[in-house]
Amino acid sequence: MKRVLLKLSGEALAGEKHTGFDEATCVQVAKQVKEVCDSGVQVGVVIGGGNFWRGRTSENIDRTKSDQIGMLATVMNCIYVSEIFRSVGMKTKVFTPFTMGPMAEMFTKDAAVECLEKGVVTFFAGGTGHPYFSTDTTTTLRAIEIEADVILLAKAVDGIYDSDPKLNPDAKKYDEISIQTVIDQKLGVMDLTASIMCMENKMPMMVFGLNEENSIVNTLKGKFSGTKVTV
Ligand code: UDP
């Protein structure tokens, strides 16, 4: 594996608190990503925003404006996690699809690939820059653009199940599943727009639990215990 796109859910960063940041969780992720980078794998990162805000959070304000707040939440997350990554010895860069003045750099494919090739962990903050999209869509879009080998989807659950494991104790976990089946059975691993983009552009995915010990490193070392999504 030469280049991967790691998607971290905003909620997973919040740990038990479910909001804001849980520093211990972020440091744990940082140490794993450092190990992955040190082994020569190039890492891009997309982070959700659910630990602060979702477009659907308020019914009283305009959806476009609400989504803009969500996109800004992802910028805060990326700046924070990027700094935690630096604190354990990695080089990082935060890109956004809109101008953020001195806070981040404008995303272009060329600039991002240049960073990745230099071993800089490259954050894609601010979503796609458009309302009505999600950080799942951002993940597939950027993974395709930077020509990643695979998407690493680190979630609160440890893989893809045939039904919601929180609601159904008999839910069965898949070791491997095709993206077509994910779409046909409407399995809620990513939103539909993102899943269809993965299918059309043949972008495979590894889905695993962020809170499982050493799961990011294990996934890349072949000790994978989540669900592989084939295309
Ligand atoms: N968002 C957006 N466009 C994007 C990415 C994100 O409008 O391209 C907004 C949207 O409001 C979303 C929020 O940012 O609810 C946080 O993103 P995330 O994907 O974590 O949201 P979720 O899928 O959990 O709603």
Side-chain angles (χ1 to χ4, degrees):
M1 219 74 84
K2 179 178 168 247
R3 184 176 293 164
V4 299
L5 185 48
L6 173 66
K7 159 81 194 285
L8 303 169
S9 91
E11 272 172 322
L13 293 181
E16 305 283 284
K17 294 187 287 180
H18 301 295
T19 181
F21 306 116
D22 180 52
E23 198 147 313
T25 305
C26 297
V27 169
Q28 220 265 73
V29 171
K31 286 182 179 159
Q32 289 191 61
V33 174
K34 173 128 192 344
E35 193 175 333
V36 168
C37 285
D38 289 348
S39 74
V41 178
Q42 301 171 9
V43 183
V45 182
V46 171
I47 308 179
N51 52 329
F52 285 117
W53 187 268
R54 292 203 157 94
R56 309 175 294 280
T57 299
S58 170
E59 286 175 4
N60 299 317
I61 66 169
D62 179 76
R63 171 71 191 262
T64 296
K65 304 298 162 62
S66 190
D67 281 343
Q68 287 171 346
I69 298 171
M71 287 185 263
L72 289 171
T74 74
V75 178
M76 292 199 289
N77 280 346
C78 283
I79 294 176
Y80 176 86
V81 174
S82 152
E83 286 306 306
I84 299 281
F85 278 23
R86 284 183 186 193
S87 76
V88 303
M90 283 178 272
K91 290 198 168 69
T92 65
K93 174 83 92 183
V94 179
F95 286 105
T96 46
F98 37 72
T99 50
M100 285 293 296
M103 291 187 217
E105 242 169 72
M106 243 339 239
F107 167 79
T108 65
K109 173 179 177 169
D110 287 352
V113 168
E114 207 180 306
C115 283
L116 289 162
E117 283 173 346
K118 285 184 193 150
V120 175
V121 179
T122 304
F123 288 80
F124 303 107
T128 60
H130 300 287
Y132 297 94
F133 286 94
S134 65
T135 52
D136 284 347
T137 337
T138 312
T139 303
T140 44
L141 176 63
R142 294 294 183 240
I144 294 160
E145 281 185 281
I146 64 165
E147 298 168 62
D149 298 308
V150 69
I151 291 172
L152 305 182
L153 205 57
K155 299 186 62 100
V157 262
D158 63 353
I160 303 177
Y161 287 78
D162 59 358
S163 58
D164 188 343
K166 281 188 212 132
L167 304 176
N168 176 11
D170 297 325
K172 192 177 128 286
K173 187 165 101 183
Y174 295 101
D175 293 330
E176 194 174 304
I177 190 169
S178 73
I179 188 76
Q180 185 70 61
T181 312
V182 169
I183 293 167
D184 290 347
Q185 296 187 9
K186 297 192 173 65
L187 300 172
V189 49
M190 268 189 157
D191 58 53
L192 199 54
T193 316
S195 299
I196 287 174
M197 277 183 74
C198 278
M199 186 184 71
E200 286 182 340
N201 296 280
K202 304 205 173 337
M203 178 56 66
M205 247 182 313
M206 313 276 267
V207 185
F208 57 93
L210 185 65
N211 301 323
E212 310 274 294
E213 205 186 329
N214 226 21
S215 57
I216 301 172
V217 170
N218 285 343
T219 296
L220 289 172
K221 280 192 174 160
K223 274 194 273 168
F224 179 60
S225 59
T227 304
K228 187 175 175 193
V229 183
T230 57
V231 286

